[in-house]
Amino acid sequence: MAAKWTKAKRVVWEELDSGALLIDAKTGARWALNATAAALWNWCDGRNSLNDLAAKLAHSSRRTLREARAEVRTFCARFAAQNLLARAG
């Protein structure tokens, strides 16, 4: 899980009290994120590997590292499929 992910440049986002709102500046599509997804989104800065993201998630929640890894993989795959995340580098 050495891949690193970064936010797509065309996505505008704002942190909210209970999560975040993402807007695709090109299409106008919007996504509301819960607190967990918002934290993962925020950590996708091009420096954190999937292992780093999973460790952060496990540390900040009541998830095991195994559960966190599965959630991070799913999150990154879904957001990459929607062109919201891109591989860094």
Side-chain angles (χ1 to χ4, degrees), residues 6-71:
T6 189
K7 299 167 198 76
K9 292 183 179 169
R10 69 173 198 247
V11 178
V12 178
W13 65 287
E14 182 176 347
E15 288 188 62
L16 306 171
D17 290 335
S18 60
L21 176 65
L22 310 182
I23 302 171
D24 184 324
K26 184 176 179 182
T27 66
R30 297 170 185 250
W31 296 266
L33 307 183
N34 65 21
T36 300
L40 285 171
W41 174 260
N42 195 30
W43 297 331
C44 288
D45 58 5
R47 296 183 300 230
N48 289 303
S49 69
L50 293 177
N51 279 330
D52 296 334
L53 295 172
K56 287 177 183 255
L57 181 59
H59 181 75
S60 67
S61 67
R62 293 185 175 173
R63 291 164 179 81
T64 65
L65 187 54
R66 183 178 183 169
E67 291 168 335
R69 281 184 181 133
E71 192 165 342

Side-chain angles (χ1 to χ4, degrees), residues 1 50-51 66 68-78:
M1 289 191 3
L50 293 177
N51 279 330
R66 183 178 183 169
R69 281 184 181 133
E71 192 165 342
V72 166
R73 281 187 194 115
T74 299
F75 174 88
C76 290
R78 285 183 181 167

